[in-house]
């Protein structure tokens, strides 16, 4: 099956509430969608880069540029998901752009063969338990209200975004209000240095599942040192960009890995990291990048693999958006159903998609 052409579509999705992390505040999700068209089916991929290079070096305009200038021209005309990674490998980095293109090829291919993402990736469950990521708030009272509402909705695990000046106090307050049975973890998005080790050790009192990315992306050696001076397990996010990086585990830099398909260059690399970690008895969970229903569908499929033993940031659509571009993902007893239709198993709703689209570009192959 030959690819006819590829559409790059920019959409602007207003968030239900501003999302504040240690690196900034977002009010609108600026998303690049990739649509691969063939005579028999089309496939969708979502690029998770942010509009600014604050989480990683990637950003949406750069992703669109590298896709149109280098990645799409290098793509084999024949629709073959396994061939995408090798064809794009000569181009360094730009993993989020590569992941979106590979996902779109994979979706088109699976829609033709009738297989779901979940089945193709090797999922062993038909629903996944869901966690929620809670931004930095203006006050502890506001945080407790927000967490309370998510717990009411059924989320089985809560992750608090932390940073210098917003760490021990909010974590203690949430632990005291919601009790020791609440599965609780924190995410610093690289906001600390090893000089903060004694301060971070104060979080040991709160029985956290893990602390995610306390130090800078490239501070693997310091993460290994920090791991020896705090009891809370360290989970890496930003630091792990490939299966090769996941070998950081063997350095003692972390004992848990957050897998985000975009960050590591695609769902196939994500599966390789899963397999590696599983073989070493290292827990993994599926991260989130405020995806629309398109990226969310694929993440939920990935999270259904057997090594994903911790709840992911695979929240319901309404956590982020009043109106999703697909039929909304909704929590049922703290779980999301894994789509089982061909490919992603969900389709964008044309009217909604048109309303949020800010630009489209057609690239003929
Ligand atoms: C994380 N995500 O695990 C990220 C980072 C993050 C769900 O906590 C716009 C787009 C804003 C992507 C803010 C969660 C974002 C973003 C934070 C990703 O580190
Ligand atoms: Mg993170």
């Amino acid at each position: 099956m030959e690819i006819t052409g590829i559409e790059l579509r920019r959409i602007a999705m207003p968030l239900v509430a501003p999302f504040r992390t240690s690196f900034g505040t977002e009010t609108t999700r600026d998303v690049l969608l990739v649509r691969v068209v063939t005579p028999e089916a089309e496939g969708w991929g979502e690029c998770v880069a942010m509009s600014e290079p604050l989480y990683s070096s990637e950003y949406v305009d750069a992703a669109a540029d590298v896709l149109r200038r280098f990645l799409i021209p290098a793509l084999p005309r024949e629709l073959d998901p396994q061939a995408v990674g090798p064809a794009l490998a000569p181009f360094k980095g730009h993993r989020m752009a590569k992941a979106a293109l590979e996902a779109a090829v994979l979706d088109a291919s699976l829609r033709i063969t009738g297989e779901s993402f979940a089945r193709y990736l090797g999922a062993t469950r038909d629903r996944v338990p869901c966690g929620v990521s809670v931004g930095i708030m203006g006050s502890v009272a506001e945080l407790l209200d927000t967490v309370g509402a998510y717990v009411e909705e059924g989320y089985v695990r809560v992750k608090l975004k932390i940073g210098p000046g917003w760490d021990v106090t909010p974590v203690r307050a949430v632990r005291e209000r919601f009790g020791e049975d609440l599965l609780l973890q924190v995410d610093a998005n690289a906001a600390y240095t090893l000089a903060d080790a004694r301060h971070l050790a104060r979080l040991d009192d709160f029985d956290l599942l893990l602390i995610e990315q306390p130090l800078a992306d490239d501070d693997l050696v310091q993460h290994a040192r920090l791991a020896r001076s705090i009891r809370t397990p360290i989970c890496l996010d930003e630091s792990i960009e490939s299966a090769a990086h996941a070998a950081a585990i063997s350095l003692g830099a972390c004992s848990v890995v957050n897998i985000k398909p975009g960050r590591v260059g695609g769902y196939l690399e994500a599966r390789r990291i899963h397999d590696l970690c599983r073989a070493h008895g290292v827990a993994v969970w599926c991260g989130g990048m405020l995806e629309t229903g398109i990226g969310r569908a694929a993440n939920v499929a990935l999270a259904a693999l057997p090594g994903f033993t911790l709840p992911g940031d695979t929240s319901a659509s309404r956590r982020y958006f009043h109106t999703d571009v697909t039929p909304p993902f909704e929590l049922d007893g703290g779980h999301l159903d894994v789509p089982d239709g061909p490919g992603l198993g969900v389709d964008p709703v044309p009217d909604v998609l048109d309303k949020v689209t800010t630009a489209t570009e057609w690239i003929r192959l």
Side-chain angles (χ1 to χ4, degrees), residues 1 10 14 35 46 69 80 149 163 296:
M1 181 65 49
R10 265 309 252 285
R35 182 168 65 102
E46 175 167 346
R69 206 190 283 268
D80 176 4
R296 196 164 299 280

Side-chain angles (χ1 to χ4, degrees), residues 44 81-82 99 102-107 109-110 113-125 128 259-262 264-276 278 284 286 294-308 314 338-345:
W44 290 91
Q82 304 277 354
E102 185 190 69
V105 170
L106 187 53
D107 184 34
S109 163
L110 294 175
T113 60
E115 195 176 24
S116 68
F117 251 70
R119 192 186 154 89
Y120 176 83
L121 292 173
T124 52
R125 291 171 287 176
V128 297
I259 300 182
K260 288 177 181 167
V264 304
Y267 286 87
L268 302 184
E269 185 73 359
R271 181 173 59 184
R272 287 190 279 274
I273 296 176
H274 160 273
D275 295 349
L276 181 83
R278 191 159 181 246
V284 303
C286 183
I294 293 169
R296 196 164 299 280
N299 285 355
V300 169
L302 180 71
L305 268 63
F308 285 78
T314 47
V338 179
D340 59 3
L344 293 173

Side-chain angles (χ1 to χ4, degrees), residues 235-254:
C235 168
L236 291 177
D237 174 359
E238 286 89 330
S239 290
I240 307 296
E241 294 186 349
S242 64
H245 284 180
I249 306 155
S250 68
L251 303 174
C254 67

Side-chain angles (χ1 to χ4, degrees), residues 23 26 29 133 159 161 187 189 212 237 260 288 320:
F23 57 74
E26 291 282 299
R29 188 71 177 97
S133 176
K159 156 169 143 182
K161 291 295 198 178
D187 185 357
N189 287 111
E212 186 179 340
D237 174 359
K260 288 177 181 167
Y320 294 113

Side-chain angles (χ1 to χ4, degrees), residues 6 36 50 57 71 93 99 154-155 164 177 190 221 234 257 260 293 307 338-339:
I6 295 178
V36 165
M50 299 177 66
S57 64
L71 306 182
Y155 285 104
R177 170 70 67 89
V221 172
I234 292 178
V257 175
K260 288 177 181 167
V338 179

